[in-house]
Amino acid sequence: MINILTTHWSDFVHGFGITLLSSIIALIISMILGTGFAILEIVPNKLVNTIAHIYIQIFRNIPLLVVTMFFYVVVTQFVKMSGLVAGTIGLALYTSAFIAETVRAGILAVDKGQTEGARANGLTYWQTMRIIVLPQAFKIVIPPLGNQFINLVKNSSILAFVAGFDLMYQGNEIASTTFDTIDTYVVVGLFYLVITLPLSYYMRYLENKLA
Amino acid sequence: MAMIEFKNVEKYYGNFHALKNINLEIEEGKTVVLIGPSGSGKSTLIRTINGLEQIQSGDLIVHGENLAKKKTDMNLLRKNVGMVFQHFNLYANKTVLENIMLAPRIVLKRDEKENRELAEKLLEMVGLADKGNSYPNMLSGGQEQRVAIARSLAMKPKVLLFDEPTSALDPEMIGDVLEVMKKIARDSDMTMVVVTHEMGFAKQVADQVIFMADGTIIEKSGAKEFFENPKEERAKKFLSQVLNH
Ligand SMILES: Nc1ncnc2c1ncn2[C@@H]1O[C@H](COP(=O)(O)OP(=O)(O)OP(=O)(O)O)[C@@H](O)[C@H]1O
Ligand SMILES: [Mg+2]
């Protein structure tokens, strides 16, 4: 195992870097989209609610691989994109649907009195949402959000299917050239842990700190 | 001109007729106490005054704005109409000082230094000068409610609404909150509308008492007159129930 690590160190590190990069970008995009659609699902406007609901249902109920392939095979005919880009977009949209559901639950869990107090105090709907409700909602949903983030990192292995040069892709390459499959995938697994373990402990720390 | 005026106001929750043909004028600077049995529509009525509940017909004119008109800007109206709730509704994610300073800062764009000075002055007025950096969950109910009052006052409203401000408090906390409210009623020219079961408070500071039942106003009279000589049978019965226990 040490052997495969040293001989293919730069491939692993390259794959690790891609996985990390793709995960971070997808995480940022999915948080923005997810929070946005969570809000759109509850603003007092039926049409907007329906549109947001449809978006969420689509990306939540179609396999990630299908979403990713759609961008890699279909969308790329109109807008050229690499596997890395297609995979990251697929990952971001797919995850955003789950984050939307999570954040929405958080918003609904915030005491209605908070909104009434703020509106009576003169704040607008959006000021109330941004300054009073959302911060409390995020705090409530830190644990499930942490799960979504970890799932996102693991799901980024989808990139291997679209030549995304991520950790999983590099692992497949190395395994098929060295035939040392066990050691290779153990190393790949360990590299994923390097991201996911600190992430899960950090989320737990946040949860305790803000409690 | 009246500060608050209800003209033939009707309010429904779905099919339920919650306010029936309400006609009422409240003069500027007066303190009005609203009483009545549970479910009679007191909260509903007071919440229409700042637009937390919409009315379905009639006119409701507050500080010159007709709330029945679609184009009336509620956010603008609420600069002039504050509200204190039974369950305080302080911002759980903000310190006491921030609770008080937030709306003046972002709604009124008040200068930060002036904002802080007023907030500190108000905290002192409600007897909580040392609690500015506490979070609401570190305070007792009575303290929370006094912060909530300070938060409303910081907006310098023309009208201040109270919906059962002491009903969620332990008995020994009630006095402090009522003291603050009495001080406001005495020293300011704000118009106050107070839903309460505290008859002592009503006797002491109310200019007018309004008795509601089943979504209608049964009786409205001067405070002294109402307590000494209630006219309506239901008001008499209600008074004997709340005063004799
Ligand atoms: N959001 C709502 N939806 C439907 N019905 C409501 C709603 N709010 C109040 N009601 C009904 O309207 C009536 C008046 O309620 P309201 O809360 O105004 O009474 P109240 O006089 O404040 O009573 P209490 O002393 O218990 O606070 C009640 O029958 C209540 O069930
Ligand atoms: Mg009530």
Side-chain angles (χ1 to χ4, degrees):
Chain A
M1 203 176 88
I2 300 294
N3 192 23
I4 202 108
L5 194 55
T6 47
T7 52
H8 292 83
W9 175 254
S10 76
D11 291 335
F12 280 121
V13 168
H14 185 237
F16 177 80
I18 295 281
T19 290
L20 192 61
L21 179 73
S22 170
S23 297
I24 290 172
I25 292 173
L27 189 147
I28 293 170
I29 297 174
S30 63
M31 271 301 282
I32 293 171
L33 286 177
T35 304
F37 279 102
I39 293 170
L40 295 182
E41 232 194 337
I42 55 173
V43 296
N45 181 321
K46 284 263 165 3
L47 178 67
V48 173
N49 300 159
T50 307
I51 293 170
H53 185 70
I54 291 170
Y55 171 92
I56 292 168
Q57 290 303 337
I58 287 176
F59 287 108
R60 205 170 66 126
N61 293 299
I62 294 177
L64 171 58
L65 185 54
V66 176
V67 177
T68 301
M69 278 308 190
F70 178 77
F71 281 91
Y72 190 56
V73 177
V74 181
V75 178
T76 199
Q77 294 178 5
F78 307 101
V79 192
K80 274 266 160 281
M81 63 178 78
S82 65
L84 175 59
V85 172
T88 304
I89 292 176
L91 194 57
L93 297 185
Y94 176 82
T95 309
S96 74
F98 291 90
I99 289 183
E101 289 295 88
T102 306
V103 172
R104 188 178 76 111
I107 292 172
L108 296 179
V110 174
D111 179 16
K112 242 184 87 222
Q114 295 288 307
T115 300
E116 283 196 343
R119 297 307 306 278
N121 205 195
L123 274 63
T124 64
Y125 182 89
W126 292 108
Q127 287 171 334
T128 301
M129 188 54 91
R130 184 166 53 82
I131 304 169
I132 304 302
V133 177
L134 277 182
Q136 296 185 52
F138 280 126
K139 201 169 119 176
I140 294 170
V141 296
I142 285 172
L145 268 186
N147 283 336
Q148 304 296 353
F149 294 167
I150 288 162
N151 282 337
L152 183 151
V153 174
K154 294 189 293 185
N155 286 340
S156 71
S157 58
I158 194 79
L159 287 171
F161 286 89
V162 291
F165 299 99
D166 67 317
L167 197 46
M168 187 65 197
Y169 178 90
Q170 300 291 3
N172 289 340
E173 291 292 303
I174 295 164
S176 65
T177 50
T178 63
F179 301 107
D180 192 352
T181 48
I182 296 177
D183 283 355
T184 305
Y185 288 117
V186 168
V187 171
V188 166
L190 289 175
F191 268 110
Y192 277 109
L193 285 178
V194 169
I195 305 176
T196 51
L197 277 184
L199 184 59
S200 77
Y201 282 108
Y202 179 68
M203 295 307 282
R204 190 172 297 180
Y205 161 80
L206 265 189
E207 187 187 341
N208 290 330
K209 197 183 94 167
L210 296 177
Chain B
M1 209 184 68
M3 178 61 85
I4 302 167
E5 188 173 1
F6 288 78
K7 284 191 231 169
N8 305 318
V9 168
E10 310 281 349
K11 160 77 190 171
Y12 294 84
Y13 291 112
N15 288 326
F16 181 76
H17 201 171
L19 294 180
K20 300 168 187 161
N21 191 34
I22 302 293
N23 284 285
L24 177 66
E25 280 189 30
I26 298 174
E27 296 298 322
E28 178 164 9
K30 296 281 191 260
T31 298
V32 173
V33 166
L34 197 54
I35 62 176
S38 180
S40 57
K42 306 180 297 293
S43 295
T44 304
L45 186 144
I46 201 171
R47 288 161 59 88
T48 60
I49 298 173
N50 66 349
L52 284 183
E53 299 291 351
Q54 283 179 340
I55 62 172
Q56 271 69 50
S57 78
D59 290 303
L60 171 49
I61 298 146
V62 179
H63 193 238
E65 301 282 342
N66 192 343
L67 305 204
K69 294 235 162 70
K70 270 239 155 18
K71 66 177 204 305
T72 299
D73 184 346
M74 291 299 170
N75 296 317
L76 226 56
L77 174 87
R78 288 175 186 145
K79 287 183 186 179
N80 293 307
V81 184
M83 183 158 193
V84 174
F85 298 85
Q86 181 174 1
H87 297 287
F88 332 128
N89 298 350
L90 292 179
Y91 307 136
N93 58 332
K94 302 280 177 195
T95 63
V96 164
L97 263 179
E98 266 304 306
N99 263 274
I100 301 173
M101 292 166 64
L102 179 66
R105 181 189 302 129
I106 65 176
V107 179
L108 304 179
K109 315 266 187 260
R110 182 178 293 154
D111 166 71
E112 190 66 14
K113 182 162 165 281
E114 191 190 330
N115 196 11
R116 176 171 287 268
E117 281 169 6
L118 177 63
E120 283 168 352
K121 206 178 95 191
L122 287 169
L123 268 185
E124 197 176 312
M125 198 267 278
V126 299
L128 295 169
D130 54 336
K131 297 290 184 191
N133 294 318
S134 305
Y135 280 86
N137 64 4
M138 300 153 77
L139 304 180
S140 72
Q143 292 172 331
E144 279 195 83
Q145 193 61 297
R146 282 180 281 151
V147 173
I149 293 172
R151 177 174 75 176
S152 290
L153 291 176
M155 293 295 282
K156 300 188 176 167
K158 293 272 185 229
V159 179
L160 200 43
L161 310 172
F162 295 82
D163 189 0
E164 302 207 27
T166 58
S167 297
L169 302 180
D170 293 336
E172 72 272 19
M173 306 276 180
I174 294 176
D176 291 340
V177 171
L178 290 179
E179 271 319 308
V180 171
M181 291 171 60
K182 283 179 201 167
K183 199 161 18 173
I184 301 168
R186 242 185 285 115
D187 304 345
S188 82
D189 51 8
M190 253 176 273
T191 309
M192 288 169 69
V193 183
V194 186
V195 177
T196 185
H197 297 297
E198 297 293 330
M199 293 303 136
F201 172 84
K203 275 184 195 168
Q204 271 184 299
V205 302
D207 297 298
Q208 199 181 17
V209 175
I210 294 164
F211 176 73
M212 284 185 79
D214 297 328
T216 59
I217 294 176
I218 303 277
E219 177 164 351
K220 53 186 164 190
S221 14
K224 197 164 144 53
E225 192 188 336
F226 181 83
F227 287 109
E228 285 174 5
N229 191 15
K231 288 189 280 294
E232 300 293 330
E233 215 35 60
R234 292 194 68 168
K236 284 180 195 165
K237 194 154 161 259
F238 179 81
L239 269 185
S240 72
Q241 279 166 355
V242 292
L243 294 176
N244 300 335
H245 74 241

